[in-house]
Amino acid sequence: MAERRAEISRKTNETDVFVRVNIDGTGKSQISTGVGFFDHMLDQLSRHSLIDMDINVKGDLHIDDHHTVEDTGIAIGQAISKALGDRRGITRYASLDLAMDETMTKAAVDISGRPFLVWNVMFSAPKIGTFDTELVREFFQALAQNGGITLHVLNHYGANNHHIAETCFKAVARVLRTATEIDPRQADRVPSTKGMLA
């Protein structure tokens, strides 16, 4: 089977983003976005999806973190989509409830080629440290839209906003891991009655 790897470079007046992914990795990452909490979340995304990720971003952080977070999501989504190619042989679907201390979050994914985000996550504060909690949704919106992924994220409950954000990243990581794995029973087929996922 061909290696499922890809690189994306994206440069605008607001950000300069480089992303490299290996879908069949071991969850190794080298991440530098200039936003400490975001780096921590991206490390969780890589570690628990087993997708190797090299991410280097220089953004207009003197304004705020928004462009850096959104454009990183765009590039990761594009890289994953490119690495998956025609999505032949993938498991395609996955769903998981993930617990972390007092928090539980569900993620469900269809790597369908049809981007859609359903987001049912509430934070009780506008910030985690200096990080805007609304940017968690912005990241996953960009990831889903540019990865051709239908993604549903639902926080069942939680008290700690750090834990709520982290369970979102970990749960999405775990469903990406399962959904991108090759199904040995249909390794040579695109998992769709249409014959394509685009």
Side-chain angles (χ1 to χ4, degrees):
M1 192 176 80
E3 289 189 341
R4 299 190 299 169
R5 303 172 184 251
E7 294 182 2
I8 294 290
S9 294
R10 173 185 167 83
K11 188 167 186 176
T12 71
N13 290 333
E14 298 166 341
T15 61
D16 186 351
V17 182
F18 172 80
V19 170
R20 178 189 295 122
V21 301
N22 175 11
I23 301 292
D24 302 306
T26 59
K28 292 187 216 171
S29 64
Q30 294 286 333
I31 297 167
S32 176
T33 68
V35 182
F37 180 77
F38 188 43
D39 287 357
H40 176 48
M41 293 299 102
L42 293 175
D43 183 49
Q44 302 294 338
L45 186 68
S46 173
R47 183 80 53 90
H48 295 286
S49 66
L50 298 183
I51 298 174
D52 292 345
M53 295 185 184
D54 292 332
I55 301 168
N56 196 292
V57 186
K58 297 196 181 334
D60 54 0
L61 299 179
H62 61 286
I63 295 175
D64 67 7
D65 299 343
H66 185 106
H67 298 139
T68 294
V69 172
E70 183 177 32
D71 289 5
T72 301
I74 289 170
I76 294 173
Q78 290 175 346
I80 289 173
S81 183
K82 183 177 177 183
L84 290 173
D86 67 2
R87 307 180 187 212
R88 186 173 304 275
I90 63 169
T91 301
R92 180 177 168 179
Y93 297 101
S95 179
L96 175 82
D97 286 305
L98 188 134
M100 179 180 177
D101 296 345
E102 86 298 342
T103 302
M104 182 175 286
T105 297
K106 180 184 197 72
V109 69
D110 175 12
I111 303 183
S112 59
R114 296 187 304 275
F116 202 92
L117 177 69
V118 174
W119 183 257
N120 195 344
V121 179
M122 297 291 292
F123 293 97
S124 63
K127 298 234 183 224
I128 301 169
T130 61
F131 186 83
D132 292 330
T133 50
E134 68 181 10
L135 294 181
V136 179
R137 184 191 188 282
E138 292 301 316
F139 171 78
F140 286 114
Q141 175 67 46
L143 178 74
Q145 191 69 34
N146 289 274
I149 296 166
T150 296
L151 176 63
H152 293 233
V153 184
L154 166 64
N155 174 241
H156 295 300
Y157 45 80
N160 181 289
N161 288 303
H162 186 129
H163 293 169
I164 292 170
E166 190 162 338
T167 55
C168 292
F169 278 86
K170 286 180 174 177
V172 171
R174 291 293 302 199
V175 294
L176 282 176
R177 172 180 171 180
T178 300
T180 58
E181 285 178 345
I182 297 299
D183 181 347
R185 295 175 63 192
Q186 62 171 4
D188 296 324
R189 291 189 302 177
V190 175
S192 171
T193 54
K194 295 181 179 66
M196 63 181 291
L197 290 172

